[in-house]
Amino acid sequence: MLTVRAPATSANLGPGYDCLSLALDVANVVQAWPAEDGVHVEVTGEGAGLLPTDQRNEVYRALSVVYQLRGEPPPPLRMRCHNVIPPARGLGSSSAARASGLLLGNRLLGDPLSTEELFALGAEMEGHPDNIAACFFGGVQVCVTGSRGLEHARVPVTVPLAATVYIPDFPMDTHTARGLLPTEVSIQTAVYNISRASLFVAALATGRADLLRTATEDAIHQPPRSTIFPALPILVEAAVEAGAYGAFLSGAGSSVLALVDPGRAERVGAAMEAAATRACVPGRVVQTEIGEHGASVE
């Protein structure tokens, strides 16, 4: 039996659209073992009863990509997916599934591909590299697609940080959320986000948590997404007023993540929950930390 752990992730982190991400200290676990024929998937936890349980399952689809790349047919398998990452909530459920499948396929073939090569395959499947970067490599990641392909670097976090996440009961489809975004922005808007994304990296690297409130502001993707999630600014404001360093829409939503001092996490979570109740946004609070480790197979 092979076992894969793949962490939840949060992308954008406010101003770093499609280039900043972090891993969280909660993970999906996939177990796989040989089958005589076919593909048989058991899904427990989040997504049970909704996610495919045959060869259409995203974990197996990603596994098949590695086999196809090597010119071999994917094998019959039994898999058990225990999911703690809710789908369509901006916490990287698809990245976790794809990273799990890529690692499984690679291990079953004798690990012919490096983690960097698997990362490139995952980014191609995702259509953007931010979540999959944090999922594979852990911590806080900056990733860029350029003339030399995908490049990424880990940001040192020199201040104690916890993550308080409010997860609404309703999903937000990533494709729909991306369709709301402008195709062009003004130079003023571009500078607004570039300066804050840069400040975010500097704040973490130098221990300047006091800068994170400004450094998590965004003018590109959160305002248009607020049109389908009007409570977003209310939840962000509630988190900051309760003592969070900064708060933002996690990925394409619908989760809202606050970066907090560990000693203030419970207070911030309670404030977000109260604000969500007033705004008629049912959901739950999850308390976690930045995940230091990326996906792994054993």
Side-chain angles (χ1 to χ4, degrees):
M1 180 184 288
L2 293 176
T3 301
V4 182
R5 291 177 55 85
T9 53
S10 180
N12 304 327
L13 314 186
Y17 181 71
D18 274 7
C19 65
L20 286 179
S21 60
L22 58 80
L24 295 169
D25 197 25
V26 292
N28 285 354
V29 177
V30 178
Q31 295 172 308
W33 61 97
E36 291 184 3
D37 56 54
V39 179
H40 312 275
V41 183
E42 176 189 355
V43 178
T44 63
E46 298 287 348
L50 299 174
L51 299 176
T53 56
D54 54 17
Q55 68 274 11
R56 297 171 299 159
N57 184 274
E58 197 60 50
V59 176
Y60 192 80
R61 284 164 58 90
L63 179 152
S64 301
V65 167
V66 183
Y67 271 81
Q68 291 162 8
L69 189 65
R70 304 292 293 181
E72 298 188 33
L77 275 183
R78 289 189 177 275
M79 297 194 305
R80 181 182 297 117
C81 302
H82 179 62
N83 297 336
V84 297
I85 308 171
R89 300 299 197 280
L91 294 172
S93 61
S94 67
S95 289
R98 288 165 178 158
S100 295
L102 291 170
L103 284 169
L104 278 174
N106 197 47
R107 177 59 54 88
L108 288 170
L109 286 167
D111 289 331
L113 302 178
S114 68
T115 306
E116 294 289 344
E117 290 171 317
L118 295 177
F119 166 47
L121 285 175
E124 185 177 355
M125 295 177 70
E126 290 271 285
H128 46 91
D130 44 1
N131 283 98
I132 201 79
C135 191
F136 268 121
F137 302 110
V140 178
Q141 294 284 330
V142 182
C143 49
V144 174
T145 304
S147 58
R148 300 197 300 177
L150 283 175
E151 297 181 296
H152 66 95
R154 185 166 178 147
V155 180
V157 179
T158 60
V159 60
L161 282 181
T164 298
V165 190
Y166 188 79
I167 306 175
D169 289 344
F170 68 88
M172 282 177 66
D173 177 69
T174 300
H175 180 75
T176 301
R178 281 183 169 264
L180 297 171
L181 305 188
T183 56
E184 296 181 355
V185 298
S186 68
I187 188 67
Q188 291 87 355
T189 299
V191 170
Y192 183 99
N193 269 51
I194 290 169
S195 61
R196 282 158 176 77
S198 301
L199 186 66
F200 184 90
V201 172
L204 293 187
T206 60
R208 291 288 306 277
D210 59 298
L211 299 176
L212 287 174
R213 180 170 183 175
T214 299
T216 51
E217 294 173 342
D218 163 75
I220 291 178
H221 71 101
Q222 292 188 164
R225 286 169 172 169
S226 295
T227 62
I228 60 172
F229 187 12
L232 170 60
I234 297 171
L235 290 171
V236 169
E237 183 179 3
V240 172
E241 287 187 350
Y245 293 131
F248 43 81
L249 184 68
S250 182
S254 57
S255 297
V256 180
L257 189 149
L259 293 174
V260 302
D261 179 279
R264 296 181 178 178
E266 294 298 329
R267 183 171 67 183
V268 170
M272 294 175 78
E273 194 167 34
T277 299
R278 292 192 297 271
C280 300
V281 180
R284 67 188 190 276
V285 172
V286 171
Q287 301 286 4
T288 184
E289 299 174 350
I290 296 175
E292 292 299 314
H293 304 289
S296 61
V297 58
E298 56 186 44

